[in-house]
C-alpha cells in the first residue's frame, strides 16, 4: 500500500524497545481489527527520552479508528495523533504525529504488520516475497543482489523499512543463493556477556 493512498495515525506509549513496540503493533492491529491492507510500523523517537512509537496506515474511510485510538490515551499513559488531531500526553502525541508523518511520506518506519506479512514464515523464494507481500524490493547488505530464485530464510521475523515510498527488505547472505533478513529476531543485548 503506497503511502499516498492511505490515512495515517500514530500512537506512542513510550515503549523502550523494538520488541515491546512489535508487541504493541500486533496488539493495535488485532484490537482495532485493521483491514488486510493496513500497514503498522515502528519508529525510533530521538527527541526527549529515546523510545519507539508506532504508526498505522489504513485505506481511507476506515471508520471509527480515531475514537478507538483515543482510548489508548484516556489514562494519560499514551499519546495519539491523526491528521491535525492530538490526544493524550502532549509529548507522546507529538512523537506519535512525527511517526505518522514519517510513515505517510514513505521515508521511514519499520513495518511489523503489512499485506502478506503473515505468509513470511520458513524459507521462501525471493520471488514469492516480492509477489505475495507489500515488499517491493530486497537489498543485500555487503553481498550480491538476491535473484528471484534465491531463497529467503525468514527466521519468522521480517521487518522491511520504508525508503523513498517503497517497502524495502534488507537481507544478508547466509551462503550462496540463500539470504536472511538483516534484522535478527532476538538480538543479544549489548554487554550481556561482559557486564
Amino acid at each position: 500500500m503506497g503511502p499516498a493512498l492511505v490515512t495515517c495515525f500514530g500512537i506512542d506509549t513510550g515503549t523502550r524497545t523494538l520488541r515491546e513496540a512489535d508487541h504493541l503493533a500486533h496488539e493495535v492491529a488485532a484490537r482495532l481489527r485493521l483491514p488486510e491492507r493496513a500497514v503498522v510500523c515502528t519508529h525510533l523517537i530521538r527527541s526527549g527520552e529515546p523510545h519507539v512509537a508506532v504508526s498505522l496506515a489504513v485505506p481511507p474511510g476506515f471508520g471509527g479508528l480515531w475514537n478507538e485510538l483515543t482510548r489508548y490515551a484516556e489514562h494519560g499513559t499514551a499519546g495519539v495523533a491523526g491528521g491535525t488531531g492530538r490526544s493524550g500526553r502532549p509529548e507522546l502525541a507529538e512523537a506519535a504525529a512525527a511517526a505518522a508523518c514519517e510513515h505517510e511520506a514513505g521515508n521511514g518506519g519499520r513495518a511489523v504488520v503489512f499485506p502478506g506479512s503473515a505468509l513470511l514464515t520458513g524459507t521462501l523464494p525471493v520471488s514469492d516475497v516480492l509477489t505475495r507481500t507489500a515488499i517491493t524490493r530486497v537489498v543485500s547488505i555487503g553481498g550480491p543482489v538476491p535473484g528471484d530464485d534465491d531463497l529467503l530464510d525468514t527466521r519468522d521475523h521480517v521487518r522491511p523499512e520504508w525508503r523513498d515510498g517503497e517497502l524495502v527488505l534488507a537481507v544478508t547472505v547466509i551462503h550462496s543463493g540463500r539470504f536472511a533478513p538483516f534484522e535478527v529476531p532476538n538480538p543479544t543485548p549489548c554487554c550481556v556477556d561482559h557486564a
Side-chain angles (χ1 to χ4, degrees):
M1 171 187 303
L5 307 173
V6 298
T7 302
C8 288
F9 299 91
I11 180 168
D12 190 347
T13 61
T15 57
R16 299 283 178 220
T17 69
L18 288 175
R19 180 181 236 167
E20 289 172 354
D22 283 6
H23 179 76
L24 176 62
H26 286 290
E27 175 191 309
V28 166
R31 178 177 174 183
L32 301 178
R33 291 185 226 119
L34 296 180
E36 259 185 49
R37 291 181 42 221
V39 179
V40 184
C41 294
T42 62
H43 301 260
L44 299 177
I45 303 298
R46 292 172 177 87
S47 59
E49 186 71 29
H51 63 283
V52 187
V54 170
S55 68
L56 48 145
V58 296
F62 187 70
L65 193 54
W66 177 249
N67 291 337
E68 288 296 320
L69 283 173
T70 58
R71 290 192 178 127
Y72 277 95
E74 283 178 349
H75 303 291
T77 59
V80 296
T84 57
R86 307 283 184 277
S87 182
R89 283 182 41 197
E91 71 279 10
L92 294 178
E94 284 307 309
C101 287
E102 191 175 72
H103 188 150
E104 188 169 37
N107 63 14
R110 172 184 160 274
V112 177
V113 177
F114 53 92
S117 60
L119 304 172
L120 296 175
T121 61
T123 301
L124 304 165
V126 170
S127 61
D128 283 3
V129 173
L130 296 172
T131 59
R132 299 174 69 197
T133 75
I135 296 170
T136 57
R137 199 159 41 106
V138 178
V139 298
S140 179
I141 302 208
V145 176
D148 286 346
D149 294 330
D150 288 332
L151 296 176
L152 177 70
D153 179 355
T154 68
R155 302 182 199 155
D156 299 337
H157 184 87
V158 178
R159 302 294 186 263
E161 296 180 350
W162 284 111
R163 294 184 193 172
D164 299 322
E166 289 186 290
L167 208 49
V168 178
L169 178 63
V171 298
T172 187
V173 176
I174 297 175
H175 57 78
S176 181
R178 197 171 186 105
F179 295 82
F182 184 74
E183 181 179 320
V184 296
N186 296 304
T188 302
C190 178
C191 307
V192 73
D193 58 350
H194 56 85

